[in-house]
PDB file of all heavy atoms in Angstrom:
ATOM      1  N   ILE P 164     -15.262 -11.396 -25.496  1.00 93.00           N
ATOM      2  CA  ILE P 164     -16.016 -10.945 -24.339  1.00 93.00           C
ATOM      3  C   ILE P 164     -15.492  -9.629 -23.784  1.00 93.00           C
ATOM      4  O   ILE P 164     -16.249  -8.790 -23.292  1.00 93.00           O
ATOM      5  CB  ILE P 164     -16.018 -12.038 -23.222  1.00 93.00           C
ATOM      6  CG1 ILE P 164     -16.963 -11.630 -22.083  1.00 93.00           C
ATOM      7  CG2 ILE P 164     -14.615 -12.311 -22.710  1.00 93.00           C
ATOM      8  CD1 ILE P 164     -18.413 -11.556 -22.474  1.00 93.00           C
ATOM      9  N   ARG P 165     -14.174  -9.388 -23.891  1.00 93.00           N
ATOM     10  CA  ARG P 165     -13.622  -8.119 -23.400  1.00 93.00           C
ATOM     11  C   ARG P 165     -14.154  -6.959 -24.219  1.00 93.00           C
ATOM     12  O   ARG P 165     -14.497  -5.901 -23.684  1.00 93.00           O
ATOM     13  CB  ARG P 165     -12.096  -8.158 -23.445  1.00 93.00           C
ATOM     14  CG  ARG P 165     -11.461  -9.178 -22.515  1.00 93.00           C
ATOM     15  CD  ARG P 165      -9.946  -9.113 -22.595  1.00 93.00           C
ATOM     16  NE  ARG P 165      -9.479  -9.279 -23.976  1.00 93.00           N
ATOM     17  CZ  ARG P 165      -8.249  -8.962 -24.393  1.00 93.00           C
ATOM     18  NH1 ARG P 165      -7.382  -8.450 -23.550  1.00 93.00           N
ATOM     19  NH2 ARG P 165      -7.896  -9.160 -25.646  1.00 93.00           N
ATOM     20  N   LEU P 166     -14.219  -7.141 -25.540  1.00 95.00           N
ATOM     21  CA  LEU P 166     -14.753  -6.087 -26.403  1.00 95.00           C
ATOM     22  C   LEU P 166     -16.237  -5.881 -26.166  1.00 95.00           C
ATOM     23  O   LEU P 166     -16.744  -4.753 -26.240  1.00 95.00           O
ATOM     24  CB  LEU P 166     -14.496  -6.444 -27.868  1.00 95.00           C
ATOM     25  CG  LEU P 166     -13.185  -6.027 -28.527  1.00 95.00           C
ATOM     26  CD1 LEU P 166     -13.081  -4.526 -28.636  1.00 95.00           C
ATOM     27  CD2 LEU P 166     -11.983  -6.632 -27.844  1.00 95.00           C
ATOM     28  N   GLN P 167     -16.929  -6.945 -25.866  1.00 95.00           N
ATOM     29  CA  GLN P 167     -18.365  -6.833 -25.609  1.00 95.00           C
ATOM     30  C   GLN P 167     -18.636  -6.029 -24.339  1.00 95.00           C
ATOM     31  O   GLN P 167     -19.636  -5.294 -24.251  1.00 95.00           O
ATOM     32  CB  GLN P 167     -18.980  -8.224 -25.526  1.00 95.00           C
ATOM     33  CG  GLN P 167     -18.987  -8.954 -26.881  1.00 95.00           C
ATOM     34  CD  GLN P 167     -19.246 -10.440 -26.756  1.00 95.00           C
ATOM     35  OE1 GLN P 167     -19.904 -10.876 -25.821  1.00 95.00           O
ATOM     36  NE2 GLN P 167     -18.728 -11.221 -27.697  1.00 95.00           N
ATOM     37  N   ARG P 168     -17.740  -6.126 -23.371  1.00 95.00           N
ATOM     38  CA  ARG P 168     -17.876  -5.302 -22.158  1.00 95.00           C
ATOM     39  C   ARG P 168     -17.647  -3.825 -22.487  1.00 95.00           C
ATOM     40  O   ARG P 168     -18.332  -2.943 -21.950  1.00 95.00           O
ATOM     41  CB  ARG P 168     -16.884  -5.759 -21.089  1.00 95.00           C
ATOM     42  CG  ARG P 168     -17.195  -7.127 -20.492  1.00 95.00           C
ATOM     43  CD  ARG P 168     -16.162  -7.490 -19.444  1.00 95.00           C
ATOM     44  NE  ARG P 168     -16.193  -6.555 -18.312  1.00 95.00           N
ATOM     45  CZ  ARG P 168     -15.137  -6.246 -17.565  1.00 95.00           C
ATOM     46  NH1 ARG P 168     -13.950  -6.787 -17.833  1.00 95.00           N
ATOM     47  NH2 ARG P 168     -15.257  -5.410 -16.560  1.00 95.00           N
ATOM     48  N   VAL P 169     -16.690  -3.561 -23.352  1.00 96.00           N
ATOM     49  CA  VAL P 169     -16.458  -2.184 -23.803  1.00 96.00           C
ATOM     50  C   VAL P 169     -17.704  -1.659 -24.507  1.00 96.00           C
ATOM     51  O   VAL P 169     -18.155  -0.529 -24.260  1.00 96.00           O
ATOM     52  CB  VAL P 169     -15.229  -2.123 -24.745  1.00 96.00           C
ATOM     53  CG1 VAL P 169     -15.101  -0.735 -25.376  1.00 96.00           C
ATOM     54  CG2 VAL P 169     -13.950  -2.486 -23.991  1.00 96.00           C
ATOM     55  N   ASP P 170     -18.262  -2.475 -25.373  1.00 96.00           N
ATOM     56  CA  ASP P 170     -19.463  -2.086 -26.107  1.00 96.00           C
ATOM     57  C   ASP P 170     -20.608  -1.773 -25.144  1.00 96.00           C
ATOM     58  O   ASP P 170     -21.324  -0.767 -25.313  1.00 96.00           O
ATOM     59  CB  ASP P 170     -19.858  -3.208 -27.064  1.00 96.00           C
ATOM     60  CG  ASP P 170     -21.141  -2.903 -27.822  1.00 96.00           C
ATOM     61  OD1 ASP P 170     -21.252  -1.799 -28.378  1.00 96.00           O
ATOM     62  OD2 ASP P 170     -22.036  -3.767 -27.835  1.00 96.00           O
ATOM     63  N   ALA P 171     -20.792  -2.610 -24.147  1.00 95.00           N
ATOM     64  CA  ALA P 171     -21.872  -2.389 -23.185  1.00 95.00           C
ATOM     65  C   ALA P 171     -21.707  -1.051 -22.468  1.00 95.00           C
ATOM     66  O   ALA P 171     -22.672  -0.304 -22.270  1.00 95.00           O
ATOM     67  CB  ALA P 171     -21.921  -3.533 -22.179  1.00 95.00           C
ATOM     68  N   ALA P 172     -20.467  -0.726 -22.081  1.00 95.00           N
ATOM     69  CA  ALA P 172     -20.208   0.540 -21.380  1.00 95.00           C
ATOM     70  C   ALA P 172     -20.494   1.734 -22.280  1.00 95.00           C
ATOM     71  O   ALA P 172     -21.129   2.714 -21.857  1.00 95.00           O
ATOM     72  CB  ALA P 172     -18.760   0.573 -20.895  1.00 95.00           C
ATOM     73  N   LEU P 173     -20.058   1.667 -23.523  1.00 96.00           N
ATOM     74  CA  LEU P 173     -20.234   2.802 -24.424  1.00 96.00           C
ATOM     75  C   LEU P 173     -21.684   2.949 -24.878  1.00 96.00           C
ATOM     76  O   LEU P 173     -22.154   4.066 -25.098  1.00 96.00           O
ATOM     77  CB  LEU P 173     -19.298   2.657 -25.627  1.00 96.00           C
ATOM     78  CG  LEU P 173     -17.831   2.954 -25.301  1.00 96.00           C
ATOM     79  CD1 LEU P 173     -16.896   2.451 -26.389  1.00 96.00           C
ATOM     80  CD2 LEU P 173     -17.624   4.454 -25.095  1.00 96.00           C
ATOM     81  N   ARG P 174     -22.390   1.847 -25.006  1.00 94.00           N
ATOM     82  CA  ARG P 174     -23.798   1.936 -25.396  1.00 94.00           C
ATOM     83  C   ARG P 174     -24.635   2.622 -24.319  1.00 94.00           C
ATOM     84  O   ARG P 174     -25.651   3.249 -24.625  1.00 94.00           O
ATOM     85  CB  ARG P 174     -24.357   0.537 -25.683  1.00 94.00           C
ATOM     86  CG  ARG P 174     -24.094   0.046 -27.099  1.00 94.00           C
ATOM     87  CD  ARG P 174     -24.878  -1.200 -27.443  1.00 94.00           C
ATOM     88  NE  ARG P 174     -24.371  -2.381 -26.757  1.00 94.00           N
ATOM     89  CZ  ARG P 174     -25.001  -3.000 -25.769  1.00 94.00           C
ATOM     90  NH1 ARG P 174     -26.145  -2.536 -25.302  1.00 94.00           N
ATOM     91  NH2 ARG P 174     -24.475  -4.078 -25.209  1.00 94.00           N
ATOM     92  N   GLU P 175     -24.202   2.528 -23.070  1.00 93.00           N
ATOM     93  CA  GLU P 175     -24.928   3.163 -21.965  1.00 93.00           C
ATOM     94  C   GLU P 175     -24.569   4.632 -21.777  1.00 93.00           C
ATOM     95  O   GLU P 175     -25.161   5.325 -20.951  1.00 93.00           O
ATOM     96  CB  GLU P 175     -24.645   2.392 -20.671  1.00 93.00           C
ATOM     97  CG  GLU P 175     -25.210   0.978 -20.652  1.00 93.00           C
ATOM     98  CD  GLU P 175     -24.763   0.199 -19.431  1.00 93.00           C
ATOM     99  OE1 GLU P 175     -24.024   0.766 -18.602  1.00 93.00           O
ATOM    100  OE2 GLU P 175     -25.150  -0.981 -19.305  1.00 93.00           O
ATOM    101  N   ALA P 176     -23.581   5.105 -22.553  1.00 94.00           N
ATOM    102  CA  ALA P 176     -23.056   6.453 -22.321  1.00 94.00           C
ATOM    103  C   ALA P 176     -23.833   7.553 -23.028  1.00 94.00           C
ATOM    104  O   ALA P 176     -23.479   8.730 -22.900  1.00 94.00           O
ATOM    105  CB  ALA P 176     -21.584   6.510 -22.745  1.00 94.00           C
ATOM    106  N   GLY P 177     -24.845   7.197 -23.790  1.00 91.00           N
ATOM    107  CA  GLY P 177     -25.646   8.222 -24.440  1.00 91.00           C
ATOM    108  C   GLY P 177     -24.988   8.861 -25.636  1.00 91.00           C
ATOM    109  O   GLY P 177     -25.353   9.977 -26.043  1.00 91.00           O
ATOM    110  N   VAL P 178     -24.011   8.178 -26.233  1.00 95.00           N
ATOM    111  CA  VAL P 178     -23.373   8.660 -27.449  1.00 95.00           C
ATOM    112  C   VAL P 178     -23.724   7.703 -28.586  1.00 95.00           C
ATOM    113  O   VAL P 178     -24.259   6.620 -28.371  1.00 95.00           O
ATOM    114  CB  VAL P 178     -21.839   8.767 -27.287  1.00 95.00           C
ATOM    115  CG1 VAL P 178     -21.496   9.731 -26.159  1.00 95.00           C
ATOM    116  CG2 VAL P 178     -21.204   7.398 -27.035  1.00 95.00           C
ATOM    117  N   ASP P 179     -23.406   8.095 -29.799  1.00 95.00           N
ATOM    118  CA  ASP P 179     -23.679   7.266 -30.972  1.00 95.00           C
ATOM    119  C   ASP P 179     -22.539   6.256 -31.108  1.00 95.00           C
ATOM    120  O   ASP P 179     -21.528   6.529 -31.738  1.00 95.00           O
ATOM    121  CB  ASP P 179     -23.788   8.154 -32.207  1.00 95.00           C
ATOM    122  CG  ASP P 179     -24.206   7.382 -33.455  1.00 95.00           C
ATOM    123  OD1 ASP P 179     -24.364   6.149 -33.368  1.00 95.00           O
ATOM    124  OD2 ASP P 179     -24.345   8.019 -34.520  1.00 95.00           O
ATOM    125  N   SER P 180     -22.692   5.095 -30.482  1.00 96.00           N
ATOM    126  CA  SER P 180     -21.619   4.097 -30.449  1.00 96.00           C
ATOM    127  C   SER P 180     -21.777   3.117 -31.597  1.00 96.00           C
ATOM    128  O   SER P 180     -22.881   2.677 -31.920  1.00 96.00           O
ATOM    129  CB  SER P 180     -21.630   3.352 -29.111  1.00 96.00           C
ATOM    130  OG  SER P 180     -22.887   2.740 -28.895  1.00 96.00           O
ATOM    131  N   ARG P 181     -20.636   2.760 -32.228  1.00 95.00           N
ATOM    132  CA  ARG P 181     -20.620   1.858 -33.379  1.00 95.00           C
ATOM    133  C   ARG P 181     -19.619   0.727 -33.103  1.00 95.00           C
ATOM    134  O   ARG P 181     -18.403   0.923 -33.195  1.00 95.00           O
ATOM    135  CB  ARG P 181     -20.215   2.619 -34.645  1.00 95.00           C
ATOM    136  CG  ARG P 181     -20.994   3.908 -34.916  1.00 95.00           C
ATOM    137  CD  ARG P 181     -22.404   3.647 -35.374  1.00 95.00           C
ATOM    138  NE  ARG P 181     -23.136   4.871 -35.660  1.00 95.00           N
ATOM    139  CZ  ARG P 181     -23.258   5.401 -36.880  1.00 95.00           C
ATOM    140  NH1 ARG P 181     -22.664   4.841 -37.915  1.00 95.00           N
ATOM    141  NH2 ARG P 181     -23.978   6.501 -37.054  1.00 95.00           N
ATOM    142  N   PHE P 182     -20.152  -0.442 -32.770  1.00 96.00           N
ATOM    143  CA  PHE P 182     -19.320  -1.619 -32.485  1.00 96.00           C
ATOM    144  C   PHE P 182     -19.050  -2.303 -33.821  1.00 96.00           C
ATOM    145  O   PHE P 182     -19.954  -2.894 -34.421  1.00 96.00           O
ATOM    146  CB  PHE P 182     -20.071  -2.544 -31.533  1.00 96.00           C
ATOM    147  CG  PHE P 182     -19.256  -3.660 -30.939  1.00 96.00           C
ATOM    148  CD1 PHE P 182     -17.874  -3.625 -30.906  1.00 96.00           C
ATOM    149  CD2 PHE P 182     -19.894  -4.763 -30.379  1.00 96.00           C
ATOM    150  CE1 PHE P 182     -17.141  -4.650 -30.339  1.00 96.00           C
ATOM    151  CE2 PHE P 182     -19.175  -5.791 -29.813  1.00 96.00           C
ATOM    152  CZ  PHE P 182     -17.787  -5.737 -29.794  1.00 96.00           C
TER     153      PHE P 182
END
Side-chain angles (χ1 to χ4, degrees):
I164 187 65
R165 295 182 305 164
L166 272 294
Q167 291 165 28
R168 291 180 63 210
V169 172
D170 177 49
L173 286 165
R174 275 191 288 109
E175 293 173 0
V178 300
D179 186 357
S180 57
R181 309 287 181 96
F182 191 19

